[in-house]
Amino acid sequence: AQSVTQLDSHVSVSEGTPVLLRCNYSSSYSPSLFWYVQHPNKGLQLLLKYTSAATLVKGINGFEAEFKKSETSFHLTKPSAHMSDAAEYFCVVSDTGGSQGNLIFGKGTKLSVKP
Amino acid sequence: DSGVTQTPKHLITATGQRVTLRCSPRSGDLSVYWYQQSLDQGLQFLIQYYNGEERAKGNILERFSAQQFPDLHSELNLSSLELGDSALYFCASSAPPGRSYGYTFGSGTRLTVV
């Protein structure tokens, strides 16, 4: 069965410093992995997705993630945090590895950005 | 606007009642997924429809049901509501295989059961 584990429930950074949100996955297939962001009282927005192309995936708003098969990780990074990045971030795996599978969500990491 | 439309945005109802949540998928998408987001359970998959047929079931209670209509919009019916059903309900859609890949989420329906 597919699953994702987000290693931190809460991460706090200062504005202008790097962001690292950690995610490990478990998948029987070549996985399709995603990061979604949810701002307070808002819906879910796709940040980026990995679908077995390049292992370094660039997303919106300066975020990127690297797929590391040997470590079963898909950590999300950003070089410099902005106040508007404060939100909850979800690491997600598709349960069939394709475009028609169900999405399995991690428990989320809440990112706080201090001025 | 993501292209996935959910109505209503907010719903307050009493225990024991029945409500219907509606979702219109992004144009061209054939699959519709329903998810429940609650504080204690996180985001959980409920059910998937593909072109009108049920494709997969997740942690959906027997009091809940869904359907997808010929125009591809979907409805999630919640009955005999309990306080614990209070949650944010998301709908997502995805493109057919071979088309542009991705899942698009609506902005959700916040259900409050009092």
Side-chain angles (χ1 to χ4, degrees), chain A residues 16-55:
Chain A
T17 65
V19 176
L20 170 63
L21 305 183
R22 298 181 296 163
C23 173
N24 288 129
Y25 70 90
S26 172
S27 177
S28 306
Y29 311 93
S30 179
S32 293
L33 293 159
F34 310 79
W35 277 97
Y36 280 86
V37 61
Q38 185 178 28
H39 286 90
N41 299 312
K42 298 287 186 184
L44 292 155
Q45 182 183 20
L46 178 66
L47 277 178
L48 50 81
K49 61 190 179 201
Y50 166 78
T51 56
S52 75
T55 57

Side-chain angles (χ1 to χ4, degrees), chain B residues 10-27:
Chain B
H10 301 277
L11 200 49
I12 302 175
T13 190
T15 55
Q17 294 299 303
R18 172 190 167 96
V19 297
T20 298
L21 313 183
R22 183 188 168 101
C23 169
S24 294
R26 189 178 56 178
S27 178

Side-chain angles (χ1 to χ4, degrees), chain A residues 19-97:
Chain A
V19 176
L20 170 63
L21 305 183
R22 298 181 296 163
C23 173
N24 288 129
Y25 70 90
S26 172
S27 177
S28 306
Y29 311 93
S30 179
S32 293
L33 293 159
F34 310 79
W35 277 97
Y36 280 86
V37 61
Q38 185 178 28
H39 286 90
N41 299 312
K42 298 287 186 184
L44 292 155
Q45 182 183 20
L46 178 66
L47 277 178
L48 50 81
K49 61 190 179 201
Y50 166 78
T51 56
S52 75
T55 57
L56 182 62
V57 182
K58 294 189 184 300
I60 62 171
N61 300 333
F63 284 94
E64 61 182 39
E66 186 171 8
F67 174 74
K68 291 187 176 180
K69 186 175 181 178
S70 61
E71 299 176 10
T72 61
S73 68
F74 190 57
H75 301 335
L76 182 70
T77 59
K78 182 173 180 177
S80 176
H82 191 271
M83 295 297 292
S84 61
D85 295 328
E88 187 147 25
Y89 293 78
F90 294 93
C91 183
V92 184
V93 64
S94 171
D95 75 342
T96 65

Side-chain angles (χ1 to χ4, degrees), chain A residues 32 38 49 98 100-103, chain B residues 31 35 37 45 48 95 101 103:
Chain A
S32 293
Q38 185 178 28
K49 61 190 179 201
Q100 296 302 308
N102 310 311
L103 298 180
Chain B
S31 276
Y35 290 83
Q37 184 179 31
F45 166 68
Q48 177 200 0
Y101 187 106
Y103 301 78

Side-chain angles (χ1 to χ4, degrees), chain B residues 66-80:
Chain B
Q67 55 184 325
Q68 186 178 27
F69 294 86
D71 67 353
L72 300 178
H73 91 271
S74 177
E75 293 182 355
L76 179 66
N77 301 297
L78 315 177
S79 61
S80 303

Side-chain angles (χ1 to χ4, degrees), chain B residues 23-45:
Chain B
C23 169
S24 294
R26 189 178 56 178
S27 178
D29 287 357
L30 300 181
S31 276
V32 170
Y33 309 77
W34 286 98
Y35 290 83
Q36 179 193 58
Q37 184 179 31
S38 60
L39 283 175
D40 54 343
Q41 297 291 329
L43 266 156
Q44 288 202 97
F45 166 68

